[in-house]
Amino acid sequence: MSQHTADQPQSGTGPAATSPGWWTEAIIYQVYPRSFADGDGDGMGDLEGVRSRLPYLRDLGVDAVWLSPFYASPQADAGYDVADYRAVDPVFGTLPDADALIRDVHAHGLRIIVDLVPNHSSEQHEWFRRALAEGPGSALRERYHFRPGRGAGGELPPNDWESVFGGPAWTRTTDPDGTPGDWYLHLFAPEQPDFDWDHPAVGDEFRSILRFWLDMGVDGFRVDVAHGLVKAPGLPDLGTREQLRLLDGEAKPFFDQDGVHEVYRSWRTVLDEYPGERIFVAEAWTPTIERTARYVRPDELHQAFNFPYLTTPWDAAELRTIIDRSLDAMRSVGAPTTWVLSNHDVTRHATRFANPPGLGTQLRSAGDRELGLRRARAATLLMLALPGSAYVYQGEELGLPDVVDLPDEVREDPSFFRAAGQDGFRDGCRVPIPWTVDGTSYGFGSGGSWLPQPAGWGELSVRSQTGVEGSTLELYRAALAARRAHPALGAGDRVQWLDAPAGVLAFRRTAGGRDLVCAANTTGAPVPWTGPGTLLLSSAPLGADGELPADTTAWWTSP
Ligand code: NOJ
């Protein structure tokens, strides 16, 4: 397999693909490999499937794709439990398939970001398997957090930390002679032991893994649990049962410790040795957006997901507050702000907005689907008018809802089985996407689909929506084309707020001598408001009466 780099001449069409700073206003499309397209007909998506759909992504108008993990893994957490960071799991293909995919992505004028999972490995990782097999005293145990239990016989966990997926964050081991032994820490499932980042071998290994994929030609990494690598010295008790409210403004001894920043500074020097503009994006759940900004200081990572924005309800006042705070926080460190509405861990925004606010991001209720879709389309146009980079999760361009009625026996999300923390309904946003109106698994593949697709999925398919005026797919295509054509969409780091009635957000963006005005009506009734210049795009038809309809966003441009 020959090595290649991302800055070699590319034959694609995307203007962002070769311009400097492409990532500062990029649209990055999340591919969840299990559920995107199945090339070999085994019911599970794979790299070959992704490759076959690259023309679709190019034509959609995105700049880059981010792939959730496809590495060798027992799949205890859908691939976020990695057994070998340098191998492709057979369910997704082979290393040559990954090489071919990276090349093809570039040939389509796109960039590719892969997932990196540094907080924990799989229990099947060689280090962890040997650490267990060698028993107490194994030097490999120092690369994880092994501790004796509390209580007379060591029968209690070493501290009171809870797993994000529910239950204690510790599991007791059995020594090779069959007696109960030490405990090990896992902030997620027991199959995902946390690395001890104080051990130098862990840092060395991850710098080497970075180089492996950079040499393969990837354009960047999404850093899983970027806030979790370093734990407070001594692993102190938290002393509360409310441990897992991730955005509650409170520091936690297992998240967002200052020491993580040293790790990212060292990674940045590795990345910067490589040609091309390669990036890191942090999955960092921190107490505040200001804390998140610390991950994207100039010598650390490039972008961080904006989870406070994702969790904001469809409400003008709340949206304005988080938009201002996000822009201020990121401007203070010179990083672009990012925006995101959906991903593989939360209920899709078409379903979140179909339900009353305040129910969280793990919903079991379909709600008012028509209303949800209307608001989702409006929310998308608002997001795409903001300065910075935006993430789109596969299927949101089809307006897909969550599948809220999956039977228990088909579920795979480990948090469902541990029944706490996250409510365990992440499978609902992971159902394979429909490409065709009918046929086996609606064009996902020739062998069914690992999660059942609901009846009627075909009506939402790419085929059904292509060329149909007003469809959600055509709305996304038009919006992304407009972003490429209009300099005021995406660029810059601020918005100019305009006067608007309660419940309406309106702002102006100016760039390249052109103005763009965006207005979003988050209320359930029309309001008298219209923008200057020419209507460029709207999430629902506007009447001729100068009113902005209920739950609608529109863009006007001038001159
Ligand atoms: C965040 C990932 O997005 C999620 O899917 C996973 O379960 C956890 N990290 C643990 O890796």
Side-chain angles (χ1 to χ4, degrees):
M1 206 177 327
S2 64
Q3 316 252 296
H4 60 121
T5 57
D7 66 337
Q8 66 193 34
Q10 296 167 13
S11 57
T13 53
T18 49
S19 59
W22 65 274
W23 45 278
T24 58
E25 50 187 282
I27 302 297
I28 302 177
Y29 183 98
Q30 181 186 357
V31 166
Y32 194 63
R34 298 177 141 237
S35 305
F36 188 64
D38 175 13
D40 64 4
D42 66 354
M44 184 72 80
D46 48 39
L47 299 185
E48 194 48 42
V50 180
R51 214 173 141 205
S52 72
R53 297 294 184 182
L54 291 175
Y56 168 77
L57 295 176
R58 177 198 56 208
D59 296 345
L60 182 60
V62 302
D63 299 298
V65 289
W66 147 39
L67 265 72
S68 284
F70 50 79
Y71 314 111
S73 161
Q75 305 289 319
D77 184 19
Y80 282 96
D81 49 318
V82 181
D84 183 345
Y85 290 85
R86 299 178 184 80
V88 173
D89 197 276
V91 87
F92 298 120
T94 61
L95 207 52
D97 290 341
D99 181 63
L101 175 64
I102 294 166
R103 288 172 186 282
D104 252 26
V105 166
H106 290 154
H108 283 78
L110 303 168
R111 307 261 181 169
I112 179 166
I113 292 170
V114 294
D115 227 302
L116 185 72
V117 189
N119 179 67
H120 45 263
S121 69
S122 158
E123 60 171 353
Q124 292 302 321
H125 189 281
E126 195 199 343
W127 288 0
F128 192 76
R129 278 198 289 114
R130 283 178 47 205
L132 281 190
E134 290 171 10
S138 164
L140 287 168
R141 292 196 172 202
E142 293 163 17
R143 300 179 186 190
Y144 295 90
H145 296 277
F146 280 84
R147 294 285 184 284
R150 297 204 266 207
E155 70 282 5
L156 298 172
N159 72 15
D160 69 355
W161 296 0
E162 290 169 13
S163 152
V164 173
F165 292 157
W170 296 90
T171 291
R172 194 166 194 186
T173 61
T174 304
D175 284 342
D177 67 3
T179 56
D182 284 346
W183 298 67
Y184 67 89
L185 176 70
H186 52 85
L187 291 182
F188 294 87
E191 296 88 349
Q192 294 167 294
D194 280 45
F195 286 115
D196 184 345
W197 273 84
D198 286 338
H199 195 293
V202 175
D204 290 348
E205 174 66 354
F206 272 89
R207 282 188 295 274
S208 160
I209 293 165
L210 288 178
R211 288 183 192 287
F212 179 85
W213 288 102
L214 289 167
D215 288 339
M216 290 276 292
V218 302
D219 300 286
F221 301 90
R222 177 262 190 191
V223 183
D224 188 61
V225 199
H227 52 298
L229 275 50
V230 173
K231 279 74 180 175
L235 312 183
D237 277 342
L238 189 58
T240 161
R241 303 305 296 168
E242 295 292 343
Q243 300 194 355
L244 299 168
R245 290 201 304 228
L246 294 171
L247 301 174
D248 64 1
E250 307 235 331
K252 313 245 166 16
F254 40 80
F255 283 158
D256 195 32
Q257 296 291 305
D258 288 345
V260 292
H261 298 286
E262 262 171 58
V263 175
Y264 302 133
R265 280 191 281 271
S266 96
W267 288 8
R268 183 62 181 260
T269 62
V270 173
L271 201 79
D272 286 349
E273 285 172 27
Y274 283 78
E277 299 218 24
R278 315 208 194 186
I279 66 162
F280 290 112
V281 53
E283 188 224 10
W285 289 87
T286 71
T288 62
I289 189 79
E290 292 76 18
R291 289 289 299 185
T292 304
R294 293 159 56 88
Y295 290 74
V296 290
R297 290 177 289 193
D299 58 349
E300 297 192 36
L301 309 178
H302 299 75
Q303 295 185 340
F305 290 108
N306 191 339
F307 295 124
Y309 184 74
L310 182 150
T311 50
T312 300
W314 180 237
D315 174 88
E318 292 197 47
L319 285 164
R320 180 170 169 163
T321 301
I322 190 59
I323 290 168
D324 277 340
R325 259 183 90 166
S326 305
L327 290 170
D328 289 349
M330 298 303 154
R331 195 185 309 112
S332 76
V333 292
T337 307
T338 68
W339 312 100
V340 62
L341 290 165
S342 283
N343 65 32
H344 65 293
D345 288 331
V346 299
T347 300
R348 288 177 176 280
H349 61 287
T351 299
R352 287 204 313 279
F353 295 147
N355 282 283
L359 298 181
T361 53
Q362 303 274 318
L363 304 187
R364 305 169 198 193
S365 152
D368 179 341
R369 274 186 58 175
E370 200 182 315
L371 177 66
L373 180 58
R374 185 176 179 94
R375 289 178 172 169
R377 291 164 56 105
T380 295
L381 280 203
L382 171 63
M383 171 175 87
L384 294 177
L386 293 169
S389 175
Y391 281 79
V392 169
Y393 175 50
Q394 66 178 40
E396 71 172 71
E397 77 277 20
L398 305 175
L400 293 187
D402 253 42
V403 181
V404 292
D405 55 358
L406 287 170
D408 290 354
E409 54 281 11
V410 304
R411 291 181 180 281
E412 294 205 5
D413 181 354
S415 61
F416 171 69
F417 299 102
R418 293 177 66 83
Q422 306 181 11
D423 296 347
F425 282 80
R426 299 184 301 174
D427 288 319
C429 65
R430 298 176 176 180
V431 173
I433 66 173
W435 294 91
T436 55
V437 183
D438 40 35
T440 317
S441 64
Y442 304 105
F444 167 66
S446 57
S449 107
W450 68 279
L451 282 174
Q453 299 155 301
W457 216 223
E459 288 155 31
L460 299 170
S461 66
V462 171
R463 179 77 51 79
S464 299
Q465 298 195 39
T466 295
V468 175
E469 201 186 327
S471 71
T472 302
L473 178 56
E474 293 302 341
L475 179 70
Y476 270 74
R477 285 181 173 150
L480 296 182
R483 260 183 86 102
R484 284 171 182 262
H486 201 297
L489 284 161
D493 60 7
R494 58 191 76 225
V495 298
Q496 180 195 343
W497 294 110
L498 302 175
D499 286 340
V504 175
L505 274 180
F507 58 84
R508 171 176 282 118
R509 318 267 340 275
T510 305
R514 295 179 70 192
D515 263 9
L516 182 117
V517 166
C518 171
N521 177 4
T522 66
T523 75
V527 291
W529 208 94
T530 187
T534 314
L535 179 69
L536 182 60
L537 197 59
S538 60
S539 63
L542 302 193
D545 47 8
E547 287 194 328
L548 191 55
D551 296 309
T552 299
T553 299
W555 296 349
W556 293 266
T557 180
S558 52

